[in-house]
């Protein structure tokens, strides 16, 4: 049940939820985009579109594999995560609104990161017109959805508008990118997504009951619940990926050992 919104404090709640939301994107997705951009630009400059598409798909697979568990964790653990903030001037009502808003935002976290990564494909091709058009469509849709949803849902409606707009924009960007390079999304990307979804379900199954068992009655207990559930859920995610023999996981671990393993692409 959504916490009733509409107070001035809900503005702060929305900003707090957005801050949570941006952390995995900034730490993980942006890092991948920054790493891949020179590679994409190099292949585009050489007019090697097949290699450009291969590198693009590689980055896309990493983004999906890393951002999906973050989204699942936010949806499953938003209440205890935000419960950590219940102290001082941050009251239980603010926490409830923030958690609901974070969950609504997190549904579109993967799409948001995929969208911004897809724009890098256009930039590598020295195409700034298409990103401008897609951005305009996204902004217009975001405003329209916000106007439709805010009266009944408040700040959660704004979060759902954000999620809906970026989900549509991500699909549109990938469709338009397909006109510029061969297969920016292929069966291998689909297989990565399926494996990540299965592992994400395992994460939620482990993390949610554990967090509920620990409880969030106080800020300290919410902190313990968040930490324990995040670690346990993360382990479950990695274990399931290992069982499913995700090549991206092997490559990531190899990279940590400074000996990157090639991906099957």
């Amino acid at each position: 049940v959504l916490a009733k919104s509409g107070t001035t404090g809900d503005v702060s709640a929305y900003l707090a939820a957005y801050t949570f939301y941006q952390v995995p994107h900034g730490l993980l997705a942006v890092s991948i985009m920054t790493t891949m951009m020179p590679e994409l630009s190099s292949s585009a400059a050489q007019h090697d579109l097949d290699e450009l598409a291969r590198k693009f798909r590689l980055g896309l697979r990493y983004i999906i594999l890393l951002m999906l568990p973050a989204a699942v964790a936010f949806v499953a653990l938003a209440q205890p995560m935000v419960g950590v903030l219940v102290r001082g001037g941050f009251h239980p009502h603010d926490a409830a609104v923030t958690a609901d808003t974070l969950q609504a935002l997190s549904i579109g976290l993967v799409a948001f990161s995929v969208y911004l990564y897809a724009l890098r494909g256009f930039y590598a091709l020295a195409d700034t017109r298409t990103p401008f058009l897609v951005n305009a469509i996204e902004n217009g849709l975001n405003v329209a959805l916000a106007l439709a949803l805010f009266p009944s849902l408040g700040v959660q409606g704004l979060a759902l508008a954000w999620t809906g707009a970026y989900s549509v924009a991500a699909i549109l960007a990938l469709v338009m990118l397909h006109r510029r390079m061969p297969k920016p999304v292929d069966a291998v990307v689909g297989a990565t997504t399926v494996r990540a979804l299965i592992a994400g379900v395992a994460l939620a199954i482990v993390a949610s009951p554990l967090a509920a068992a620990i409880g969030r009655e106080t800020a300290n207990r919410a902190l313990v619940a968040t930490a324990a559930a995040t670690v346990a859920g993360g382990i479950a995610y990695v274990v399931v990926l290992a069982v499913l023999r995700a090549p991206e996981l092997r490559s990531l671990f190899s990279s940590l050992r400074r000996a990157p393993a090639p991906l099957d692409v």
Side-chain angles (χ1 to χ4, degrees):
V1 178
L2 294 176
K4 184 178 180 181
S5 60
T7 67
T8 55
D10 293 344
V11 175
S12 296
Y14 184 91
L15 293 177
Y18 185 77
T19 300
F20 273 101
Y21 172 84
Q22 282 290 330
V23 170
H25 173 76
L27 290 178
L28 302 174
V30 172
S31 297
I32 294 172
M33 295 176 199
T34 302
T35 300
M36 295 303 300
M37 190 62 198
E39 298 292 328
L40 298 176
S41 298
S42 175
S43 296
Q46 297 172 24
H47 304 288
D48 189 344
L49 296 183
D50 288 331
E51 182 66 7
L52 172 62
R54 187 191 71 81
K55 291 176 178 176
F56 178 85
R57 291 192 297 267
L58 177 61
L60 184 60
R61 290 163 64 188
Y62 278 127
I63 286 177
I64 293 171
L65 197 77
L66 294 175
M67 298 310 296
L68 196 145
V72 172
F74 278 151
V75 172
L77 302 175
Q79 297 293 338
M81 280 183 182
V82 178
V84 176
L85 303 178
V86 180
R87 62 185 78 205
F90 202 81
H91 300 293
H93 169 78
D94 301 321
V97 175
T98 300
D100 289 337
T101 304
L102 177 59
Q103 289 174 322
L105 285 171
S106 299
I107 295 170
L109 180 57
V110 176
F112 176 70
S113 296
V114 167
Y115 168 72
L116 293 180
Y117 177 64
L119 296 188
R120 266 60 176 186
F122 293 108
Y123 296 145
L125 291 163
D127 179 358
T128 57
R129 180 175 180 273
T130 302
F132 172 80
L133 293 175
V134 179
N135 266 317
I137 293 172
E138 181 279 319
N139 288 334
L141 182 58
N142 202 339
V143 171
L145 288 174
L147 291 174
L149 296 175
F150 181 76
S152 58
L153 298 177
V155 292
Q156 292 91 359
L158 298 181
L160 289 173
W162 174 282
T163 290
Y166 275 105
S167 297
V168 172
I171 295 172
L172 179 60
L174 290 173
V175 169
M176 297 181 75
L177 193 60
H178 182 68
R179 301 177 180 178
R180 302 298 308 275
M181 68 173 69
K183 293 183 179 179
V185 178
D186 64 359
V188 179
V189 174
T192 297
T193 304
V194 170
R195 285 191 291 262
L197 286 170
I198 295 172
V201 171
L203 187 161
I205 290 174
V206 170
S208 294
L210 179 58
I214 296 173
R216 52 185 174 87
E217 289 77 13
T218 65
N220 288 337
R221 178 167 288 191
L223 178 60
V224 173
T226 299
T230 299
V231 171
I235 292 173
Y237 184 79
V238 172
V239 168
V240 171
L241 286 181
V243 170
L244 295 175
R245 298 184 179 182
E248 302 87 358
L249 185 65
R250 182 175 67 252
S251 180
L252 284 172
F253 282 140
S254 297
S255 297
L256 294 176
R257 296 195 299 269
R258 299 181 181 276
L263 279 174
D264 299 324
V265 293

